[in-house]
């Protein structure tokens, strides 16, 4: 069915890298881009296989400086399979490639429901024959260490022969991101190849600095009316099987390569190579692999049931598919975070930013064990965050803006502006609000799951550490009677300094300060709710000082929130202190001159100017507050800080930043669509539509080919799940406050809430239906504006809104 397929017709070299990203297959342990098996990496194709959490560190010379970067490693390519028809004169021609050979009916189809990628075409041979080729690949969702590629050859109308080679290639580099080309990119060393019984070839290597061992093993089998013994080769960086297939007229002949992948980071293995050889030897045939793989996907789809009609629903299913391929139940066994670009490419070097803020709220209500594992990734790196704060002379824990293998700050010191060709200082490490995002996710996970064991255990250690940091970083200002947080960057990411000031950072970013106040308030709630014995343990370990809560209380009520006046002389929330004093930008002039100005920072820098001089924003900053908090909760937060925030002030603030945002991040449309759905519905769909199209239409201009934007994909799912329903999980209840968005007026999904599996919510025609599956669990308390009700297991209730 079309709603479960993502298909491309014809071969288009200009679009191949984008298609490869969107056709990536994965299982939460590893993923492989949808590259053509016969094509090597270059300007057109970029094969890539990435294991979650497999990083390596290299030193490069950039602009005369030694720069160290840690990257998610492109591992040996398991896909290679090339073929060529053998004419009757026995003089073989060139190997097939889609750009050099005459093909017809070329089609690539991603089956979202089954998790397979198929490719089919007809090849006109030099001697006038026709060879039909059909391929199906999978990265197994049941066994996370297996993958397979099945190729079926059919000589149409007359018999023929074909030579086929299927192999493992260790001669790969990290080459997916063109602007990184000047950096060191060869992470694999010590490549060895060999053969093993029965009929297996293998490859072993390790990463250069992190010394992670990688083992791959391949079994290849031909299935046709005539026996086709394999010739095995293992030379240098390549190991493979070679076949000569006899192709009777109109009789399909299949060749299947099955591959196993292990690394030395895996559990319950002696060594990665031995484990890979053993696993591939025991792997079943392709029909059984496909059956068990499909069954695993069926189970995932039941837990993530999501029904939105029309094209929007089709795109949302694709987004959910890629989220599940990156963060599946297999992820629960790994020490990994949420990579901003999935396991789909090498942009951002595979690092972990704050994108979990957009993904975990969805996972909490479907795959809470995955959310917990992703929070554990942060908890394991808490000691490093504590040391980072101490190195700055501050208390608590300060998490890095970019994280990788061990939790140190991985943000680059220099970044390249491809418009000007200049390497520029990078200050994004000043985005301290990442700590608030982690605290938010800890709290929301506990509210959604009722997992007080986690909240009082690892969650408390993280949340209290982050609260301690904010209380330490907030400096009292006698002139205002407020606490101020200086030298930071907000989510905007454009403004990294004041104009003409050498010191990096800006002061009192409103989003940063308000979320810090929220963290401190939640820390106070946590301390009050802790069991006495657990509170004592935290005190004894130095995680908590009972003399601190009074300071947290004071700071959480007196953090400075800046305001300024809009052109009509009415107050709006300032993005940061002094934002309203910056110059206005002539937006139309720049649009006329450059067209796409999403990356306005690059445009201005190439002109010798800087975004720091202007009232511009790359993405939602102040408005992120409306994404994280319901209108009532946000108003209560501002009230706690001594400021009224009514609907009129908030709408005025929304309007102000809408006119000054370039949307240089795919997250921006998600947030604006969410906020406008409640603040001004008529304009919401424009941003929701762009959020849906961000990757499939590559609206950021070539970035999707470097990896999907996982946070934006998760955010669109959450926009439906929480944004349009007003769903909150707090005070042991489901809180709902639906809004009508005409273009998404009908949808349904199921939730896993507390002990209930499969709670169904449906919105249609101004009605909200809640169904709780029959079980022995307690009833669910549901709260809507002005009313509340209890829904017992086995009961369905329909309400007007």
């Amino acid at each position: 069915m079309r709603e479960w397929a993502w298909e491309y017709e014809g071969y288009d070299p200009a679009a191949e890298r984008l298609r490869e990203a969107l056709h990536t297959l994965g299982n939460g342990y590893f993923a492989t881009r949808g590259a053509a098996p016969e094509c090597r990496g270059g300007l057109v194709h970029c094969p890539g296989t990435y294991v979650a959490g497999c990083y390596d560190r290299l030193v490069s010379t950039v602009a005369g400086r030694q720069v160290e970067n840690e990257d998610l490693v492109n591992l040996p390519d398991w896909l290679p399979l090339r073929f060529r028809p053998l004419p009757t004169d026995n003089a073989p021609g060139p190997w097939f490639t889609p750009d050099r050979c005459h093909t017809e009916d070329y089609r690539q189809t991603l089956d979202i429901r089954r998790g397979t990628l198929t490719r089919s075409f007809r090849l006109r041979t030099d001697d006038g024959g026709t060879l039909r080729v059909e391929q199906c690949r999978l990265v197994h969702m049941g066994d996370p260490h297996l993958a397979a590629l099945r190729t079926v050859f059919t000589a149409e109308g007359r018999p023929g022969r074909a030579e086929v080679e299927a192999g493992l290639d260790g001669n790969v580099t990290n080459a997916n991101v063109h602007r990184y080309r000047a950096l060191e990119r060869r992470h694999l060393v010590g490549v060895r190849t060999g053969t093993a019984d029965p009929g297996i070839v293998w490859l072993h290597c390790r990463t250069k600095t992190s010394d992670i061992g990688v083992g791959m093993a391949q079994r290849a089998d031909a299935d046709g009316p005539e026996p086709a013994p394999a010739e095995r080769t293992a030379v240098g960086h390549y190991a493979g099987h070679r076949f000569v297939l006899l192709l009777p007229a109109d009789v399909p002949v299949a060749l299947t390569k099955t591959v196993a992948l292990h690394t030395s980071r895996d559990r319950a293995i002696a060594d990665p190579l031995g484990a890979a050889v053993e696993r591939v030897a025991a792997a079943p045939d392709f029909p059984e692999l496909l059956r068990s793989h499909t069954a695993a996907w069926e189970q995932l789809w039941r837990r993530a049931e999501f029904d939105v009609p029309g094209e929007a629903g089709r795109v949302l299913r694709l987004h959910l598919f890629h989220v599940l391929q990156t963060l599946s139940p297999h992820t629960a066994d790994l020490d990994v975070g949420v990579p901003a670009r999935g396991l789909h490419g090498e942009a951002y070097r595979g690092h972990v930013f704050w994108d979990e803020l957009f993904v975990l709220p969805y996972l909490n209500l479907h795959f809470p064990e995955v959310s917990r594992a992703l929070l554990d990734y942060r908890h394991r790196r808490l000691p490093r965050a504590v040391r980072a704060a101490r190195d700055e002379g501050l208390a608590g824990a300060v998490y890095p803006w970019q994280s990788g293998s061990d939790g140190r700050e991985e943000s680059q010191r220099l970044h390249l502006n491809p418009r000007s060709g200049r390497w520029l200082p990078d200050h994004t490490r000043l985005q301290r609000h990442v700590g608030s995002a982690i605290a938010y996710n800890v709290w929301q996970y506990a509210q959604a799951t009722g997992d007080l064991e986690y909240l009082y255990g690892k969650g408390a250690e993280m949340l209290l550490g982050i609260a301690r940091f904010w209380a330490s970083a907030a400096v009292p200002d006698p002139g205002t009677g407020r606490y101020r947080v200086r030298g930071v960057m907000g989510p905007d990411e454009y403004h990294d300094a004041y104009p003409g000031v050498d010191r990096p950072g800006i002061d009192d970013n409103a989003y940063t300060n308000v979320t810090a106040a929220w963290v401190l308030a939640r820390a106070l709630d946590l301390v009050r709710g802790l069991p006495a014995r657990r509170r004592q343990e935290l005190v004894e370990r130095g995680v908590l000082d009972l003399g601190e809560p009074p300071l947290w209380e004071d700071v959480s009520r007196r953090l400075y929130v800046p305001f300024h006046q809009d052109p009509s002389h009415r107050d709006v929330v300032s993005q940061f202190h002094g934002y309203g004093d910056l110059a206005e930008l002539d937006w139309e002039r720049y649009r006329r001159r450059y067209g796409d100005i999403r990356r306005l920072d690059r445009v201005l820098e190439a002109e010798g100017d800087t975004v720091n001089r202007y009232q511009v924003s790359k993405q939602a900053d102040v408005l992120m507050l409306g994404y994280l908090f319901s209108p009532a909760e946000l108003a209560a937060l501002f009230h706690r800080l001594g400021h009224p925030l009514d609907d009129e002030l908030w709408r005025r603030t929304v309007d102000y930043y809408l006119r000054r945002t370039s949307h240089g991040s795919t997250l921006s449309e998600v947030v604006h669509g969410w906020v406008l759905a409640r603040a001004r519905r008529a304009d919401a769909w424009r941003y929701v539509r762009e959020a849906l199209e961000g990757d499939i239409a590559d609206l950021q201009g070539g970035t999707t080919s470097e990896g999907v934007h996982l946070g934006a994909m998760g955010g669109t799912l959450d926009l439906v799940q929480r944004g349009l329903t007003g769903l909150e999980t707090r005070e042991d209840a489901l809180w709902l406050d639906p809004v009508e968005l005409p273009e998404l007026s009908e949808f349904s999904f199921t939730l896993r809430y507390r002990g209930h599996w499969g709670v169904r919510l449906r919105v249609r025609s101004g009605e909200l239906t809640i169904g709780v599956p029959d079980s022995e669990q307690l009833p669910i308390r549901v709260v809507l504006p002005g009313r509340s009700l209890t829904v017992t297991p086995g009961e369905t209730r329909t309400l007007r809104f």
Side-chain angles (χ1 to χ4, degrees):
M1 295 184 293
R2 183 176 180 275
E3 59 265 31
W4 287 94
W6 205 263
E7 186 173 87
Y8 296 104
E9 293 188 5
Y11 178 75
D12 182 358
E16 282 302 301
R17 285 187 168 221
L18 170 64
R19 295 177 179 184
E20 289 171 3
L22 293 177
H23 278 176
T24 294
L25 296 180
N27 56 26
Y29 172 77
F30 83 97
T32 297
R33 288 168 58 87
E38 67 278 355
C39 296
R40 294 183 62 84
L43 295 176
V44 175
H45 293 277
C46 188
T49 290
Y50 310 99
V51 167
C54 184
Y55 292 101
D56 189 54
R57 194 178 301 277
L58 295 177
V59 177
S60 307
T61 301
V62 177
R65 296 170 57 182
Q66 296 291 102
V67 176
E68 184 177 271
N69 288 303
E70 185 177 69
D71 293 82
L72 186 70
V73 179
N74 182 19
L75 295 182
D77 187 6
W78 67 268
L79 271 180
L81 185 144
R82 62 178 184 170
F83 68 91
R84 56 186 172 184
L86 293 177
T88 54
D89 62 8
N90 217 23
W95 297 99
F96 166 78
T97 59
D99 57 334
R100 293 200 309 255
C101 300
H102 179 63
T103 61
E104 299 173 351
D105 304 325
Y106 193 96
R107 176 172 292 137
Q108 303 172 80
T109 305
L110 176 67
D111 186 330
I112 297 171
R113 186 186 290 276
R114 301 201 312 165
T116 60
L117 177 61
T118 60
R119 183 175 70 148
S120 62
F121 55 89
R122 285 184 168 85
L123 169 65
R124 296 295 184 185
T125 62
D126 292 341
D127 60 359
T130 300
L131 182 65
R132 178 168 180 79
V133 181
E134 299 169 289
Q135 291 183 315
C136 179
R137 77 177 71 164
L138 58 86
V139 174
H140 206 279
M141 186 55 81
D143 185 329
H145 299 281
L146 289 178
L149 171 66
R150 183 177 179 85
T151 306
V152 179
F153 301 95
T154 306
E156 297 187 337
R158 66 184 193 187
R161 295 187 307 151
E163 181 181 7
V164 187
E165 287 186 1
L168 307 173
D169 183 8
N171 188 25
V172 301
T173 63
N174 273 45
N176 175 239
V177 181
H178 186 63
R179 62 186 174 279
Y180 298 166
R181 65 191 181 280
L183 306 176
E184 292 295 324
R185 298 182 294 170
R186 188 168 293 279
H187 292 275
L188 302 180
V189 296
V191 179
R192 299 184 294 118
T193 55
T195 62
D197 293 328
I200 292 168
V201 298
W202 55 260
L203 183 152
H204 180 269
C205 61
R206 60 182 176 83
T207 55
K208 187 173 184 178
T209 304
S210 55
D211 200 30
I212 299 172
V214 180
M216 276 188 181
Q218 173 182 286
R219 192 185 76 204
D221 307 287
D223 180 15
E226 299 289 338
E231 174 187 328
R232 291 183 289 170
T233 59
V235 179
H237 292 74
Y238 181 86
H241 294 84
R242 176 184 175 273
F243 296 83
V244 174
L245 302 180
L246 301 179
L247 307 175
D250 301 316
V251 176
V253 176
L255 190 146
T256 301
K257 59 179 294 182
T258 306
V259 176
L261 166 61
H262 276 278
T263 80
S264 56
R265 299 176 79 241
D266 297 343
R267 299 179 181 180
I269 65 169
D271 71 276
L273 178 57
V277 170
E278 182 179 325
R279 188 172 294 269
V280 81
D285 60 14
F286 187 82
E288 175 57 24
L289 281 174
L290 181 61
R291 186 206 64 77
S292 56
H293 170 71
T294 302
W297 267 107
E298 286 176 354
Q299 293 176 1
L300 283 184
W301 287 120
R302 279 200 299 271
R303 290 180 61 181
E305 188 177 346
F306 200 86
D307 184 20
V308 178
E311 184 64 12
R314 179 170 171 261
V315 176
L316 284 164
R317 274 186 286 274
L318 179 71
H319 287 184
L320 179 52
F321 177 75
H322 285 304
V323 169
L324 294 178
Q325 290 195 123
T326 307
L327 305 169
S328 80
H330 297 301
T331 308
D333 292 328
L334 306 177
D335 176 33
V336 298
V338 178
R341 304 301 280 274
L343 298 174
H344 298 62
E346 297 161 17
Y348 301 156
R349 310 185 187 284
H351 290 167
V352 176
F353 294 70
W354 69 328
D355 297 71
E356 62 213 66
L357 188 63
F358 299 85
V359 177
L360 262 66
Y362 175 82
L363 294 176
N364 287 342
L365 294 167
H366 299 274
F367 302 95
E369 72 279 14
V370 178
S371 291
R372 181 169 175 155
L374 297 170
L375 293 173
D376 281 348
Y377 168 86
R378 295 296 193 179
H379 182 262
R380 293 186 190 101
R381 287 147 185 83
L382 178 61
R384 173 79 71 164
V386 171
R387 290 200 301 273
R390 187 167 59 241
D391 289 345
E392 296 186 27
L394 298 172
V398 56
Y399 278 91
W401 175 237
Q402 295 188 39
S403 180
S405 60
D406 61 8
R408 77 182 75 176
E409 178 61 77
E410 300 293 353
S411 298
Q412 60 268 37
R413 296 288 182 174
L414 299 172
H415 70 269
L416 175 68
N417 181 357
R419 280 187 174 270
S420 67
R422 287 189 285 265
W423 289 89
L424 308 165
D426 191 304
H427 300 302
T428 51
R429 66 188 61 240
L430 298 177
Q431 292 190 72
R432 304 305 178 83
H433 59 83
V434 65
S436 296
I438 295 167
Y440 182 89
N441 279 324
V442 167
W443 190 262
Q444 295 299 330
Y445 165 79
Q447 294 294 307
T449 62
D451 189 352
L452 294 181
E453 177 187 3
Y454 195 86
L455 179 62
Y456 294 157
K458 295 176 181 178
E461 293 170 12
M462 287 186 281
L463 200 155
L464 294 175
I466 295 163
R468 269 182 155 176
F469 169 75
W470 285 128
S472 177
V475 178
D477 179 8
T480 62
R482 293 279 182 172
Y483 288 90
R484 306 189 65 180
V485 179
R486 302 182 187 273
V488 299
M489 284 181 67
D492 159 50
E493 292 191 350
Y494 272 174
H495 296 87
D496 66 353
Y498 287 102
V501 176
D502 291 335
R503 175 180 66 87
I506 49 88
D507 300 335
D508 300 305
N509 172 254
Y511 172 83
T512 300
N513 286 9
V514 173
T515 54
W518 181 89
V519 171
L520 291 163
R522 297 293 74 76
L524 291 165
D525 291 341
L526 176 62
V527 170
R528 285 190 289 266
L530 281 171
R533 183 166 295 180
R534 177 56 178 161
R535 187 184 302 113
Q536 180 184 354
E537 290 176 352
L538 293 172
V539 170
E540 290 171 348
R541 291 175 50 198
V543 176
L544 173 65
D545 182 335
L546 294 179
E548 293 176 303
L551 174 62
W552 299 352
E553 180 76 33
D554 191 42
V555 175
S556 73
R557 295 184 180 278
R558 292 201 293 130
L559 269 166
Y560 174 53
V561 180
F563 290 80
H564 69 272
Q565 292 190 329
D566 68 6
S568 63
H569 305 291
R570 295 179 299 175
D571 281 348
V572 295
V573 181
S574 290
Q575 186 167 300
F576 55 82
H577 177 71
Y579 186 88
D581 298 328
L582 301 178
E584 291 281 15
L585 183 80
D586 187 345
W587 289 87
E588 289 307 313
R589 171 175 169 264
Y590 280 91
R591 288 192 178 101
R592 286 194 304 268
R593 184 170 181 180
Y594 293 101
D596 184 356
I597 57 170
R598 290 174 185 270
R599 289 308 304 268
L600 187 61
D601 56 333
R602 293 175 175 175
V603 170
L604 290 171
E605 193 278 330
E607 288 189 347
D609 204 348
T610 173
V611 285
N612 285 330
R613 297 203 309 118
Y614 300 99
Q615 292 186 43
V616 296
S617 299
K618 175 184 175 183
Q619 58 188 306
D621 192 299
V622 173
L623 302 192
M624 271 295 301
L625 295 170
Y627 179 84
L628 294 186
F629 307 114
S630 68
E633 190 173 9
L634 185 57
L637 260 175
F638 270 75
H639 178 75
R640 181 185 186 91
L641 289 163
H643 301 289
L645 183 71
D646 56 23
D647 289 345
E648 182 182 351
L649 173 57
W650 180 245
R651 288 195 183 98
R652 200 160 56 239
T653 300
V654 170
D655 290 341
Y656 187 86
Y657 291 104
L658 273 177
R659 292 191 289 269
R660 292 164 176 81
T661 303
S662 70
H663 305 291
S665 164
T666 54
L667 296 174
S668 191
E669 280 88 359
V670 173
V671 175
H672 281 83
W674 180 302
V675 170
L676 286 172
R678 296 192 171 273
R680 195 172 66 229
R681 297 176 194 171
D683 298 320
W685 177 245
R686 168 194 163 189
Y687 295 99
V688 174
R689 185 183 66 247
E690 289 190 4
L692 292 171
E693 295 176 353
D695 274 325
I696 63 172
D698 199 12
L699 295 181
Q700 294 289 327
T703 63
T704 303
S705 63
E706 302 166 353
V708 299
H709 298 81
L710 200 71
M713 287 185 166
T716 59
L717 300 171
D718 201 33
L719 189 150
V720 176
Q721 177 173 278
R722 292 193 305 143
L724 299 184
T725 63
L727 174 63
E728 297 177 85
T729 53
R730 56 185 172 90
E731 300 173 24
D732 297 319
L734 289 179
W735 294 66
L736 295 159
D737 185 12
V739 295
E740 289 190 279
L741 190 62
E743 296 84 357
L744 282 174
S745 60
E746 180 179 343
F747 56 87
S748 66
F749 53 85
T750 59
L751 302 174
R752 181 175 165 186
Y753 176 67
R754 303 294 173 94
H756 299 275
W757 291 55
V759 177
R760 174 173 291 278
L761 271 70
R762 185 181 68 189
V763 172
R764 183 174 60 185
S765 303
E767 290 184 340
L768 173 69
T769 300
I770 310 167
V772 179
D774 194 16
S775 72
E776 298 299 317
Q777 297 295 321
L778 295 173
I780 295 177
R781 187 166 68 94
V782 178
V783 181
L784 291 94
R787 53 187 161 158
S788 64
L789 64 148
T790 299
V791 185
T792 60
E795 183 181 13
T796 298
R797 299 284 297 272
T798 298
L799 308 162
R800 297 289 301 177
F801 64 86

